[in-house]
Amino acid sequence: LPATLELIIVSVIIALIIGVPIGVLSAVKPGSWADRVSQTTSFVGFAIPHFLWGIIFVVVFGAALRVLPASGRLDMGIEVARVTGFMLIDTLLNGDLGAFTNALTHIVLPALALAMGLIAMIHRTLRSSMLDVLNEDYIFTDRMKGLSERYIIYVRALKNAVMPVITIVGIQFTFLLGGSILVEKIYGWPGLGNLVFTAVQYKDLSLVQGIIMFYAVIVVITNLVVDIIYTFVNPKVEFK
């Protein structure tokens, strides 16, 4: 379970780091070359499934260029004392920066394969939401007050436009659990996806049922976390 959660969390972080700036740029400069390129890239991100991205990255970065490892969580011979089960955290807790770098290089390709579709979704959702917000009256008033454009975009507009993105990320987090099954098998990632693939292969129904229960619990927890985040982002939302 920690291996799968670590992979999905890193993929979500990658998707946010890439998708949010691209979405803001597309909304601020609609119709520009950057907007057209990002929208075309988004269509490609939607069209190609996770497992195919995984195969492409293995062939390009793992086999052809040989710049990133394409299997496992660590190189053979590297041992890390398990504390949390999250390899990136455990390597830092052990103070082993070499092992941390090695674990980071191993997680890049599978996490990026899972993140590609989410990057496209975040970009398109945030672009549409930002375009609506930037046409609101209070944005016009802020510009009349002489507030800086950077402040208007990244503080006033983005804070309100990001609400749909939070919803999308929460929903897609649970979908990434299913998408991780084939990706983990491709990269030899020792997580729940790889385990459920083996359980189905050997018809271990009890193990399959247990993993599905874990998935269900994660879905419930994710929805709860998203609702809690709403209260911090939007003051109008509150628990009663």
Side-chain angles (χ1 to χ4, degrees), residues 181-210:
I181 294 177
L182 291 178
V183 171
E184 288 184 9
K185 191 66 178 177
I186 291 170
Y187 288 94
W189 192 263
L192 284 181
N194 208 345
L195 183 62
V196 73
F197 190 93
T198 305
V200 172
Q201 186 178 10
Y202 288 95
K203 299 180 181 180
D204 190 343
L205 297 182
S206 298
L207 183 56
V208 173
Q209 290 174 344

Side-chain angles (χ1 to χ4, degrees), residues 11-238:
S11 67
V12 170
I13 293 174
I14 292 174
L16 289 172
I17 291 175
I18 299 176
V20 171
I22 294 176
V24 173
L25 179 62
S26 296
V28 172
K29 298 181 179 180
S32 64
W33 66 269
D35 183 28
R36 291 193 294 269
V37 170
S38 61
Q39 289 202 66
T40 303
T41 306
S42 294
F43 282 120
V44 176
F46 275 124
I48 301 179
H50 300 306
F51 71 90
L52 188 53
W53 278 119
I55 295 173
I56 292 173
F57 292 153
V58 166
V59 172
V60 175
F61 298 104
L65 300 179
R66 297 185 180 181
V67 293
L68 291 170
S71 179
R73 299 179 76 185
L74 284 173
D75 286 342
M76 294 183 62
I78 298 179
E79 296 183 0
V80 177
R82 301 297 179 91
V83 180
T84 64
F86 294 86
M87 192 61 66
L88 295 176
I89 296 177
D90 289 344
T91 52
L92 290 177
L93 292 177
N94 285 279
D96 193 343
L97 294 179
F100 172 79
T101 303
N102 189 268
L104 190 62
T105 57
H106 277 77
I107 202 173
V108 167
L109 290 185
L112 189 59
L114 284 176
M116 291 302 293
L118 185 56
I119 291 172
M121 194 167 295
I122 290 175
H123 161 253
R124 295 181 65 82
T125 303
L126 185 58
R127 179 185 183 276
S128 177
S129 181
M130 279 287 290
L131 287 174
D132 291 338
V133 171
L134 289 174
N135 289 323
E136 293 288 341
D137 292 337
Y138 75 90
I139 297 295
F140 177 76
T141 303
D142 288 340
R143 285 173 174 154
M144 292 294 292
K145 290 179 180 178
L147 298 178
S148 68
E149 192 69 15
R150 184 183 296 272
Y151 176 81
I152 293 173
I153 293 172
Y154 291 102
V155 177
R156 297 284 288 168
L158 184 58
K159 185 177 181 180
N160 291 320
V162 80
M163 292 294 291
V165 175
I166 296 175
T167 304
I168 290 296
V169 171
I171 295 173
Q172 289 300 310
F173 188 92
T174 59
F175 280 102
L176 290 177
L177 288 171
S180 68
I181 294 177
L182 291 178
V183 171
E184 288 184 9
K185 191 66 178 177
I186 291 170
Y187 288 94
W189 192 263
L192 284 181
N194 208 345
L195 183 62
V196 73
F197 190 93
T198 305
V200 172
Q201 186 178 10
Y202 288 95
K203 299 180 181 180
D204 190 343
L205 297 182
S206 298
L207 183 56
V208 173
Q209 290 174 344
I211 294 173
I212 291 175
M213 282 298 299
F214 266 115
Y215 283 166
V217 171
I218 292 173
V219 170
V220 173
I221 294 175
T222 301
N223 291 334
L224 175 62
V225 171
V226 170
D227 289 340
I228 293 174
I229 292 175
Y230 280 158
T231 62
F232 291 99
V233 177
N234 189 352
K236 295 180 180 179
V237 179
E238 60 181 10

